């Protein structure tokens, strides 16, 4: 992280931002070969394009970077992911201070690599560094980049290396780094007594469940609670997933990873909130101790749930956590979960579906989601669909049989565990890039994090 930015450098290569409209003017006053090379290679200044230009000694002399004026975040992202090792300087003329700061964040996001399981160092290990542009707030940039990198790392980690114990340790580390506190419930008897659904989902695994409660910030500040689904691996349980669906399920703790990354950012920024992060860390495993279709679980709130499908486990984990969240009299509860395939059918892999009990909070996400290119889309908490969750024997079933509106029925299931008056946002996220785009390499991704952070910052501000 440190190594992708540098204070100064004697021999830096210029990065020249261009658009299709500005390309011609941007090359005026430069050697004629710049324009010729652009024409020869078909470089038009389209967003995401990167054109390396050689000097007369064959050295790298300058780089043209195509960008979208409406979305400066990714201006340098493709360059960060593709340029050779060395130091680079952004040519800032004509850019607003805000665009430059966004571009620096994009540089950081585009520099992300996950190398934990590579046995060889990269062939070119000279760092690719950007000279800090004038006037950017370095702390803001590095905080955003580090928080998102942290979330990506957690999701990308192999499931065997990030079971509930390790996830809990991550939360403890995070709390300690920021002077917060983390309470981890690890004793299976205690989990069974106080967090019955989390216990039922996780009890078949030798990696027994952990319930994590992280707290930070001034006690008199408005309480904000983040809740994360931490299913470290989702086999589906006895309703076992087919191979293609199971293949992705290391990312089923993506909600927890997003909540932790967002918490990291909130704490680094010093937002004026009393923060609580609640995570249920489990493995949904197959074994003789697995919970079963037809079982009836009692939840932390006392509501009973008939299990229709053991693969609808995330909502069970969240039910206990949301019930706890409600006790904290929060100004806002936000949960993140890789909850349903149905949300992916509705909005695809690259948009975070969300539900809101509160129209003002839903509206507050719009501007930041656009500004930070963190697309979110609201789906309805359509109460008449509650009938799909009726059980013949218990208060509710955990999965509806019809197969329609699966993201909505999951959200309605959760809503019963949140006090009616509590402002609540529920994010049903992919948490994974299935294709690479500038600044967003294939793999774990922090979806909704930037938009929610910016909305929280706008609403609550910073302490210092
Ligand atoms: N973790 C999955 C949902 C998921 C699948 C998220 C693929 C993102 C990508 C979740 O636990 C699950 O299995 N949900 C089931 C629910 C169904 C059994 C009601 C689903 O969506 O199929
Ligand atoms: Mn599942
Ligand atoms: Zn799951």
């Amino acid at each position: 992280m440190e190594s992708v930015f540098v204070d100064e450098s004697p021999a830096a290569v210029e990065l020249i931002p261009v658009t299709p409209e500005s390309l011609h003017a941007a090359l005026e006053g430069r050697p004629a070969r710049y324009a010729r090379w652009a024409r020869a290679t078909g470089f038009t200044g389209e967003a995401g394009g990167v054109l390396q230009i050689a000097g007369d000694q064959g050295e790298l002399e300058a780089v043209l970077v195509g960008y979208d004026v409406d979305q400066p975040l990714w201006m340098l992202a493709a360059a960060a992911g593709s340029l050779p090792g060395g130091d680079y300087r952004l040519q800032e003329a004509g850019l607003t201070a805000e665009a430059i700061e966004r571009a620096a964040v994009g540089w950081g996001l585009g520099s992300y690599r996950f190398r934990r399981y590579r046995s060889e160092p990269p062939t070119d290990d000279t760092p690719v560094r950007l000279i800090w542009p004038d006037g950017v707030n370095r702390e803001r940039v590095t905080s955003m980049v580090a928080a998102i990198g942290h979330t990506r790392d957690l999701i990308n980690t192999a499931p065997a290396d990030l079971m509930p114990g390790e996830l809990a340790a991550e939360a403890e580390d995070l709390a300690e780094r920021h002077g917060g506190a983390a309470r981890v419930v690890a004793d299976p008897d205690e989990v069974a007594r106080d967090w019955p659904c989390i216990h039922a989902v996780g009890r078949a695994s030798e990696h027994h469940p952990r319930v994590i409660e992280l707290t930070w910030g001034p006690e008199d500040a408005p309480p904000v609670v983040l809740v994360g689904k931490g299913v470290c691996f989702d086999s589906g349980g006895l309703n076992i997933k087919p191979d293609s669906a199971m293949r992705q399920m290391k990312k089923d703790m993506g909600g927890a990873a997003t909540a932790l990354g967002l918490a990291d950012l909130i704490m680094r920024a010093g937002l004026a909130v009393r923060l609580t992060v609640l995570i249920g860390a489990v493995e949904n495993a197959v074994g003789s101790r697995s919970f079963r279709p037809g079982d009836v679980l009692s939840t932390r709130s006392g509501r009973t749930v008939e299990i229709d499908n053991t693969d609808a486990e995330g909502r069970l984990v969240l039910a206990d956590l949301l019930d706890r969240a409600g006790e904290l009299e929060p100004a806002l509860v936000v949960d993140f979960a890789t909850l349903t395939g149905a949300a992916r059918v509705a909005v695809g892999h690259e948009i975070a579906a969300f539900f809101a009990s509160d129209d003002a909070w839903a509206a507050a996400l719009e501007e930041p989601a656009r500004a930070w290119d963190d697309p979110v889309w609201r789906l309805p908490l359509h109460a008449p669909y509650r009938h799909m969750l009726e059980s013949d024997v218990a208060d509710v079933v955990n999965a509806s049989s019809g197969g329609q509106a699966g993201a909505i029925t999951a959200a309605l299931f959760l809503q019963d565990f949140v006090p009616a008056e509590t402002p609540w946002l529920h994010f049903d996220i992919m948490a994974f890039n299935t294709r690479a785009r500038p600044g967003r390499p294939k793999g774990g991704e922090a979806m909704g994090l930037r938009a929610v952070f910016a909305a929280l910052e706008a609403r609550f501000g910073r302490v210092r």
Side-chain angles (χ1 to χ4, degrees):
M1 169 61 175
E2 215 31 70
S3 66
V4 308
F5 294 102
V6 62
D7 275 335
E8 240 329 311
S9 171
V13 174
E14 219 179 348
L15 300 174
I16 307 168
V18 297
T19 65
E21 294 72 36
S22 77
L23 178 62
H24 185 74
L27 297 186
E28 238 160 62
R30 309 255 173 197
R33 60 194 154 79
Y34 280 45
R36 279 205 300 273
W37 182 235
R39 259 196 311 280
T41 56
F43 178 85
T44 59
E46 217 59 69
V50 177
L51 184 68
Q52 304 182 22
I53 296 176
D56 40 19
Q57 305 301 310
E59 78 282 14
L60 180 56
E61 184 174 277
V63 181
L64 304 184
V65 292
Y67 80 104
D68 175 354
V69 275
D70 294 326
Q71 199 41 269
L73 177 62
W74 308 122
M75 180 190 301
L76 303 177
S82 64
L83 289 175
D87 295 341
Y88 297 87
R89 183 192 309 278
L90 174 64
Q91 194 220 79
E92 299 172 31
L95 300 173
T96 66
E98 192 189 54
I100 294 168
E101 191 162 308
R102 292 278 155 84
V105 171
W107 174 272
L109 297 179
S111 304
Y112 177 83
R113 303 286 181 278
F114 183 69
R115 295 202 56 88
R116 172 166 175 173
Y117 301 110
R118 301 280 185 204
S119 51
E120 301 286 336
T123 30
D124 179 3
D125 60 2
T126 317
V128 185
R129 301 187 297 191
L130 180 70
I131 296 175
W132 278 112
D134 288 335
V136 306
N137 183 326
R138 299 182 184 191
E139 179 271 329
R140 293 170 65 99
V141 172
T142 48
S143 295
M144 178 73 83
V145 173
I148 292 174
H150 183 196
T151 295
R152 289 172 173 176
D153 281 345
L154 291 174
I155 298 169
N156 288 332
T157 299
D161 294 326
L162 198 81
M163 280 288 142
E166 286 87 11
L167 188 53
E170 287 286 338
E172 285 175 319
D173 275 3
L174 182 65
E176 196 178 331
R177 278 208 296 284
H178 295 292
R183 200 174 76 87
V184 175
V185 182
D187 173 33
D189 294 331
E190 204 183 323
V191 176
R193 187 190 68 214
D194 297 339
W195 308 89
C197 277
I198 294 174
H199 175 260
V201 172
R203 73 188 182 202
S205 174
E206 65 168 325
H207 306 280
H208 58 261
R210 306 290 197 285
V211 180
I212 301 150
E213 184 164 330
L214 181 161
T215 48
W216 171 90
E219 269 169 55
D220 54 353
V224 169
V225 185
L226 305 181
V227 175
K229 170 178 171 180
V231 176
C232 295
F233 188 74
D234 182 11
S235 69
L238 293 178
N239 292 107
I240 195 165
K241 285 181 184 294
D243 51 8
S244 59
M246 202 189 299
R247 179 66 181 86
Q248 314 178 310
M249 285 300 127
K250 73 169 181 180
K251 65 136 182 168
D252 215 20
M253 35 55 71
T258 305
L260 288 173
L262 176 57
D264 189 3
L265 187 50
I266 289 170
M267 295 187 286
R268 284 168 186 265
L271 291 199
V273 298
R274 172 70 176 170
L275 179 66
T276 301
V277 185
L278 296 169
I279 287 169
V282 298
E283 180 185 17
N284 188 18
V286 177
S288 64
R289 287 171 46 80
S290 292
F291 71 127
R292 311 162 189 82
D295 276 349
V296 174
L297 309 183
S298 73
T299 63
R300 186 179 188 279
S301 78
R303 275 174 76 76
T304 58
V305 184
E306 181 186 10
I307 303 305
D308 174 78
N309 189 318
T310 61
D311 200 10
E313 84 297 342
R315 63 197 74 185
L316 300 170
V317 172
L318 292 180
D320 283 353
L321 299 173
L322 289 171
D323 180 60
R324 166 67 183 142
E327 292 173 354
L328 300 167
E329 292 173 24
L332 177 67
V333 175
V334 190
D335 77 66
F336 293 94
T338 50
L339 201 64
T340 69
R344 308 288 59 87
V345 174
V347 297
H349 290 171
E350 296 172 7
I351 298 172
F354 79 97
F355 297 81
S357 68
D358 183 285
D359 292 340
W361 274 108
L365 290 173
E366 267 175 48
E367 213 305 291
R370 192 203 50 74
W372 284 101
D373 199 19
D374 190 7
V376 301
W377 196 257
R378 188 180 185 182
L379 296 178
L381 285 163
H382 187 62
Y385 286 171
R386 277 173 193 283
H387 75 88
M388 292 193 238
L389 293 171
E390 278 165 16
S391 164
D392 294 337
V393 298
D395 296 337
V396 67
V397 279
N398 78 326
S400 63
S401 41
Q404 280 152 22
I408 297 174
T409 52
L412 290 171
F413 179 95
L414 298 180
Q415 191 175 21
D416 281 336
F417 298 91
V418 181
E421 67 285 0
T422 299
W424 167 58
L425 296 170
H426 157 53
F427 279 84
D428 192 336
I429 53 171
M430 180 63 182
F432 207 87
N433 297 320
T434 50
R435 61 168 180 149
R437 288 179 292 164
R440 289 146 291 179
K442 237 181 180 182
E445 188 56 279
M447 296 182 175
L449 184 151
R450 293 190 293 277
V452 173
F453 175 74
L456 292 175
E457 186 180 25
R459 170 72 178 76
F460 298 110
R462 298 184 178 217
V463 204
R464 41 173 197 272

